[in-house]
Amino acid sequence: VPAPAMSALAGQWALPLREAGSVELQTRVTRIEPDPLNTQKWQLHTKGVQDSQHVYSAFDAVVLAVPAAHARELLQDSEQCPALATQLAEVRVAPCWTLMLAFPQAVQPAHLGPQWNAARSTHHRIAWLARESSKPGRGAIERWTVQASDAWSHEHLEDDAPRVQAKLQKAFAEITGIRTEPAHAEVYLWRDAQTLKPLGKTHVWDARARLGLCGDYLIGHRVEDAFVSGLELALSMA
Ligand SMILES: Cc1cc2nc3c(=O)[nH]c(=O)nc-3n(C[C@H](O)[C@H](O)[C@H](O)COP(=O)(O)OP(=O)(O)OC[C@H]3O[C@@H](n4cnc5c(N)ncnc54)[C@H](O)[C@@H]3O)c2cc1C
């Protein structure tokens, strides 16, 4: 478990690139296309903070390490690798409504409720719960992350956040017996959360177009799938 937060792992790996000024953060790639000055190279259009728009040119290759739906959209718009975009349409990814709770009235070593730190649940609304404050390097205040099931998230995809929050909080209380009001509660909808039908190969590398795909959705739904996929793509490109 990375500390102080899950993003620290990727942050650490990307540090040399950041220090070299080679990473643009808070920036979305909105279009990929052949570079008009040299069509053997790629050009990227981006949108960053305060809607600032840029075009970056002369890339030898493009790696789409983004969720399947985003990769498909970029490929369709680019009109460069239509067969790949078609393959990506087969990938199925489920959404996940996630509830985050904080109970400042419980500060470690004291804690509320059950004597476990993570659990799979068969409750019809909730699939997984984790006591965030039990992870290494986290704050002492009791915090929980609660993930709704695929089916329930899908069924309530268009519900508004307060309604989802109320339903998930009720289910959380039923599972854990923690009925105290949290000081902080918030829900977030991860639209591309869990692969149901993967692409079925570790990575894609189109040597002619110099375009690659990697990510968890190629082979599974966990962080190690994303790692293996990225590694296999890098080995193919080397
Ligand atoms: C709520 C939740 C809990 C999870 N818990 C666990 C767990 O406990 N253990 C586990 O193994 N896995 C867990 N997972 C799954 C894990 O997060 C994924 O398997 C992993 O993050 C996939 O990595 P990735 O690099 O393929 O994609 P992502 O982590 O989704 O990374 C893709 C990145 O691309 C960026 N992006 C998308 N479109 C663009 C664009 N157009 N331009 C620029 N950037 C773009 C996104 O912002 C994102 O940062 C969880 C997932 C969720 C949603």
Side-chain angles (χ1 to χ4, degrees):
V1 178
M6 298 307 275
S7 57
L9 184 63
Q12 185 63 30
W13 284 335
L15 197 58
L17 292 172
R18 279 189 77 176
E19 285 174 348
S22 306
V23 180
E24 296 296 329
L25 298 174
Q26 306 298 320
T27 303
R28 172 167 286 269
V29 175
T30 53
R31 186 174 171 79
I32 59 173
E33 62 192 8
D35 187 337
L37 294 180
N38 176 355
T39 51
Q40 300 306 304
K41 306 243 176 197
W42 285 94
Q43 170 169 287
L44 312 183
H45 293 245
T46 65
K47 196 178 260 190
V49 280
Q50 293 174 337
D51 277 352
S52 58
Q53 299 190 19
H54 288 281
V55 179
Y56 297 91
S57 306
F59 291 103
D60 294 326
V62 164
V63 167
L64 296 176
V66 299
H70 298 235
R72 186 167 168 236
E73 211 173 280
L74 286 168
L75 286 173
Q76 275 175 334
D77 290 349
S78 79
E79 296 173 4
Q80 290 305 305
C81 303
L84 263 187
T86 308
Q87 281 181 49
L88 284 175
E90 298 296 312
V91 174
R92 292 275 169 269
V93 181
C96 177
W97 272 110
T98 300
L99 170 69
M100 290 147 286
L101 299 169
F103 298 92
Q105 55 272 56
V107 175
Q108 281 180 356
H111 67 75
L112 297 170
Q115 298 295 317
W116 36 259
N117 294 326
R120 283 204 176 87
S121 159
T122 53
H123 191 287
H124 72 286
R125 287 183 192 155
I126 290 179
W128 169 257
L129 306 91
R131 195 192 304 266
E132 286 298 319
S133 36
S134 72
K135 293 178 182 173
R138 306 306 199 259
I141 288 177
E142 173 129 339
R143 288 182 303 115
W144 287 82
T145 299
V146 180
Q147 291 170 13
S149 66
D150 298 349
W152 195 87
S153 295
H154 196 261
E155 200 181 317
H156 295 268
L157 197 57
E158 304 308 333
D159 284 9
D160 59 33
R163 183 178 154 84
V164 169
Q165 185 177 313
K167 284 180 181 291
L168 291 183
Q169 257 183 262
K170 185 165 181 288
F172 172 77
E174 285 165 9
I175 294 168
T176 60
I178 301 175
R179 295 184 189 276
T180 317
E181 267 305 298
H184 176 80
E186 170 183 356
V187 281
Y188 183 78
L189 175 64
W190 294 90
R191 287 197 176 263
D192 302 291
Q194 188 166 350
T195 312
L196 300 178
K197 185 175 174 218
L199 192 65
K201 44 190 157 190
T202 55
H203 65 287
V204 172
W205 173 235
D206 182 332
R208 189 195 52 80
R210 300 197 61 76
L211 181 130
L213 301 180
C214 65
D216 66 346
Y217 72 87
L218 282 104
I219 42 176
H221 66 272
R222 305 199 70 83
V223 76
E224 52 266 38
D225 297 317
F227 180 85
V228 167
S229 176
L231 188 61
E232 292 290 337
L233 174 60
L235 292 172
S236 290
M237 294 173 70

